[in-house]
């Protein structure tokens, strides 16, 4: 059985995480929604606070980039080995990250004028769920074909 849908969904989620992580890693100021949340421009933020915000962005970047590489590696391994635990691990790792991100985004959007990328986080989680469903079918179909 071909697992194009599972691969596409999971790899797309990984690419989204990698892009997010790269932006947070390479950006030299905070994001536009951070500016809206604080109601000030980057230049108006004190130097020490700028360093703190950039450090928090770099920490978030590390999480997103690590998640992306873990997902990319695991999805590739699934294509080669069809191990039944891999779809669960991809879903668990991704969901932990997406739920934490969504929680932080909802705090910002619920308490400030800032509008973080909630929709992108939801899309990423949806892709992980779709990938999980098709990856599980792929593993089960392969196992039942080998059993017969």
């Amino acid at each position: 059985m071909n697992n194009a849908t599972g691969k596409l969904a999971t790899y797309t989620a990984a690419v989204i995480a990698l892009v997010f992580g790269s932006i947070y890693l390479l950006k030299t100021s905070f994001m536009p929604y951070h500016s809206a949340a604080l109601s000030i421009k980057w230049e108006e933020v004190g130097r020490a606070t700028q360093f703190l915000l950039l450090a928090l962005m770099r920490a978030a970047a590390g999480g997103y980039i690590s998640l992306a590489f873990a997902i990319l590696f695991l999805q590739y391994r699934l294509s080669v080995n069809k191990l039944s635990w891999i779809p669960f691990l991809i879903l668990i790792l991704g969901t932990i990250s997406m739920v934490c991100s969504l929680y932080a985004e909802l705090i910002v959007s619920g308490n400030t004028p800032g509008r973080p990328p909630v929709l992108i986080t939801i899309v990423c989680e949806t892709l992980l769920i779709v990938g999980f469903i098709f990856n599980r079918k792929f593993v089960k179909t392969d196992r039942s074909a080998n059993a017969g």
Side-chain angles (χ1 to χ4, degrees):
M1 174 187 173
N2 185 346
N3 188 28
T5 304
K7 283 192 236 182
L8 179 64
T10 305
Y11 283 140
T12 302
V15 168
I16 291 170
L18 187 60
V19 168
F20 253 70
S22 298
I23 290 169
Y24 274 62
L25 182 65
L26 300 173
K27 196 101 164 85
T28 57
S29 65
F30 56 34
M31 303 297 288
Y33 76 88
H34 295 143
S35 179
L38 295 172
S39 300
I40 59 174
K41 294 183 175 129
W42 178 250
E43 298 77 26
E44 299 171 36
V45 176
R47 190 114 169 103
T49 304
Q50 285 181 348
F51 282 112
L52 176 65
L53 292 169
L54 287 175
L56 291 169
M57 287 172 62
R58 301 308 186 257
Y64 282 120
I65 292 169
S66 296
L67 173 67
F69 277 95
I71 290 172
L72 291 169
F73 174 77
L74 289 167
Q75 184 64 48
Y76 171 76
R77 294 298 301 167
L78 181 67
S79 298
V80 173
N81 294 94
K82 297 171 188 71
L83 299 170
S84 62
W85 55 267
I86 292 177
F88 289 104
L89 187 57
I90 292 170
L91 181 65
I92 289 166
L93 292 172
T95 298
I96 289 169
S97 181
M98 293 306 113
V99 167
C100 291
S101 294
L102 186 60
Y103 178 52
E105 291 164 357
L106 291 175
I107 289 171
V108 171
S109 65
N111 296 290
T112 74
R115 293 294 161 245
V118 171
L119 183 59
I120 294 173
T121 303
I122 293 169
V123 166
C124 195
E125 179 62 20
T126 302
L127 288 167
L128 289 167
I129 293 167
V130 168
F132 171 76
I133 292 167
F134 282 91
N135 283 338
R136 286 291 296 153
K137 278 186 188 176
F138 176 63
V139 171
K140 285 182 179 179
T141 302
D142 186 64
R143 290 192 187 277
S144 55
N146 289 333

